[in-house]
Amino acid sequence: MTASVRWRLTVMMVLQYAVWGAWVVVAGKYLMDEPPHGLGFDGVQVGFIFSLLPLATIISPFIAGQIADRYMNTEKFLAILHLVGGFLMFAMARQTDYQTFAIMMFAYSLFYAPTLALSNSITFAHLTSAERQFGGIRVGGTIGWILAGWALAAWRSMAETPFVGDLFFLAGGISIVLGLFSFALPATPPRREGANPLAFMEALKLLKSRPFLVFMIISFVVGTELQFYYILTAPFLGTPVQFGGIGIPSASISAYMSIAQVAEIAVMLSLPLILPKLGIRKTLLLGILAWPIRYAIFSLLPIPWLVLASLTLHGFCYVFFFVVGFIYVDKVAPKDIRASAQALVALVVLGLAPYVGSIFAGWIQAIYTTDLAQPVTVGGQLIGSVTNWKMVFMIPCVLTILCAIVFPLLFREDPRGAESDDTAKPA
């Protein structure tokens, strides 16, 4: 792989995850906060809105994987999706009505969802060694997520008055830039030679393998609990201490939450050293174990400095489980269906699990939230209800502990992979 290909793929990852990171980490608080600082939606409504991107991810692999594997260059397809998605995000940014906002979010999600699997697919297509090279490129996505959070925090700290929809305008602008840049990505034509036209159906056959099936089931459960982090961490951090939160100023939340991504960079860069030594099974297990530790701190030890320090565990949660999971799939999937195999994982990890998890997290938050008889203002923030964060975060803590017990008992890694004699690809 040449230096030119490497930097272009890295920039793609920077922009790919900057689009997502610009809005997802603080959208939960923005949607729940009372106007004029937010839209005033309740937990159930916010959970449904967050479920729309996963729902789109459930639908998109059946089309996106086929197009990338059979009919169209991946980089051109990526460009079209991001350009259209950017303009849809601009249109959504000024929406305040719940129904209209939800419709616009779903429309946008249908275009963004396929890009999550396709950005992995185009990267793997140009690697000579996935285990040694993918982490160094994928870390660009983490950098992009951090930069987007810092940019939003900087803008909000300088703005004299709240700018409604600022997070979505930022995401839309980055999406347009990525759409244009995608035309400069290395050409990645579809693989047509001797391939089964029903590539996604072929990818489903991987579920006949017990290790792969166990990996997918645990990925589903862990993926549902990830939504407690994405949807509810920002509201938890922003809740005043006297109401069970951490009391972080709203303008600074996106910057503080970037602590998780800074740690993710360190873990990602260590991956080429750790993964060959520990192997996929042990690395995945370490990733699972980090989840209940973080949620236990949120629930039982909500000390501000300790909660902020625990955000570093996200690096282990995400890299050791999800990133290594994509590497595992690339290892066991036959060459001609790898894009569709990645789409299958996206269907579960970025689709089914977050869809269920978003609704579940919003429902749990609503159950443990009580309206105040008389709303109060604390630090310029209007508080109309109180959430029992201890009970909210105890739920994902218990579920991820169960995953950490079951996974090592049932998962056994196949050291050969699906095509061990065909892992090397030309630069």
Side-chain angles (χ1 to χ4, degrees):
M1 181 173 58
T2 65
S4 174
V5 171
R6 179 185 293 274
W7 81 259
R8 281 182 285 166
L9 293 176
T10 302
V11 171
M12 175 196 69
M13 286 293 187
V14 170
L15 297 173
Q16 172 71 40
Y17 286 87
V19 173
W20 200 3
W23 66 271
V24 73
V25 294
V26 291
K29 181 169 176 55
Y30 171 73
L31 296 176
M32 290 180 183
D33 279 355
E34 297 296 328
H37 301 290
L39 301 185
F41 299 159
D42 62 35
V44 174
Q45 291 174 323
V46 173
F48 178 75
I49 288 171
F50 269 83
S51 76
L52 296 175
L53 177 57
L55 179 60
T57 308
I58 294 172
I59 299 170
S60 63
F62 295 96
I63 300 174
Q66 282 291 301
I67 293 175
D69 275 335
R70 310 296 171 215
Y71 305 115
M72 186 177 186
N73 277 29
T74 305
E75 78 280 1
K76 294 179 181 178
F77 190 29
L78 203 63
I80 294 171
L81 292 171
H82 278 298
L83 288 171
V84 177
F87 286 109
L88 286 173
M89 186 63 84
F90 286 152
M92 185 178 67
R94 284 297 189 181
Q95 299 300 325
T96 57
D97 174 71
Y98 169 68
Q99 291 186 345
T100 305
F101 187 95
I103 292 172
M104 295 299 299
M105 174 60 81
F106 185 57
Y108 165 75
S109 298
L110 288 172
F111 284 88
Y112 183 76
T115 69
L116 294 167
L118 293 177
S119 60
N120 284 333
S121 177
I122 194 173
T123 300
F124 283 122
H126 296 277
L127 300 182
T128 53
S129 172
E131 290 191 4
R132 292 196 303 268
Q133 297 171 337
F134 181 69
I137 292 173
R138 174 57 183 79
V139 76
T142 308
I143 294 172
W145 190 291
I146 292 172
L147 293 177
W150 287 357
L152 183 62
W155 163 257
R156 288 181 167 181
S157 66
M158 293 185 296
E160 295 182 1
T161 57
F163 186 71
V164 177
D166 53 0
L167 64 170
F168 300 114
F169 276 112
L170 176 61
I174 299 171
S175 185
I176 297 293
V177 172
L178 177 52
L180 297 174
F181 180 78
S182 294
F183 288 109
L185 291 173
T188 311
R191 299 176 182 270
R192 298 189 182 93
E193 64 281 359
N196 189 323
L198 298 177
F200 193 83
M201 298 304 296
E202 288 294 314
L204 286 174
K205 293 182 180 179
L206 292 170
L207 295 173
K208 293 181 179 180
S209 165
R210 174 177 161 174
F212 190 84
L213 178 61
V214 170
F215 166 72
M216 294 296 278
I217 292 173
I218 296 298
S219 295
F220 172 78
V221 178
V222 171
T224 62
E225 306 321 295
L226 176 61
Q227 296 311 103
F228 280 81
Y229 176 79
Y230 283 135
I231 299 175
L232 300 178
T233 299
F236 169 58
L237 294 180
T239 299
V241 175
Q242 57 266 49
F243 292 107
I246 306 302
I248 301 296
S250 296
S252 304
I253 288 178
S254 62
Y256 275 104
M257 288 190 69
S258 70
I259 292 172
Q261 279 64 49
V262 172
E264 187 178 320
I265 291 176
V267 178
M268 190 81 72
L269 293 176
S270 70
L271 194 59
L273 299 175
I274 295 174
L275 185 56
K277 291 182 179 180
L278 295 182
I280 286 176
R281 180 172 178 267
K282 291 181 180 179
T283 307
L284 289 172
L285 178 58
L286 287 177
I288 296 173
L289 288 170
W291 294 75
I293 296 173
R294 178 179 63 188
Y295 286 132
I297 292 173
F298 281 18
S299 177
L300 303 175
L301 295 169
I303 305 168
W305 71 264
L306 185 58
V307 168
L308 293 176
S310 74
L311 295 179
T312 60
L313 290 171
H314 184 75
F316 297 92
C317 295
Y318 192 86
V319 176
F320 278 9
F321 192 78
F322 290 116
V323 174
V324 172
F326 282 119
I327 293 174
Y328 168 68
V329 172
D330 188 68
K331 180 179 179 181
V332 300
K335 182 176 65 175
D336 69 325
I337 63 167
R338 279 176 183 156
S340 289
Q342 294 290 347
L344 175 61
V345 178
L347 172 65
V348 174
V349 174
L350 302 172
L352 291 170
Y355 176 73
V356 174
S358 295
I359 295 175
F360 182 51
W363 178 62
I364 292 296
Q365 191 271 345
I367 287 177
Y368 291 107
T369 297
T370 304
D371 291 335
L372 295 176
Q374 181 66 43
V376 297
T377 301
V378 180
Q381 180 180 352
L382 180 64
I383 306 294
S385 60
V386 177
T387 298
N388 185 339
W389 294 113
K390 177 180 179 178
M391 291 305 301
V392 167
F393 289 117
M394 183 55 66
I395 303 296
C397 178
V398 172
L399 289 174
T400 49
I401 286 175
L402 293 176
C403 289
I405 294 172
V406 171
F407 180 78
L409 296 176
L410 299 180
F411 181 85
R412 292 294 183 271
E413 180 184 353
D414 183 353
R416 299 171 300 170
E419 292 185 306
S420 57
D421 60 343
D422 188 38
T423 56
K425 308 178 185 72

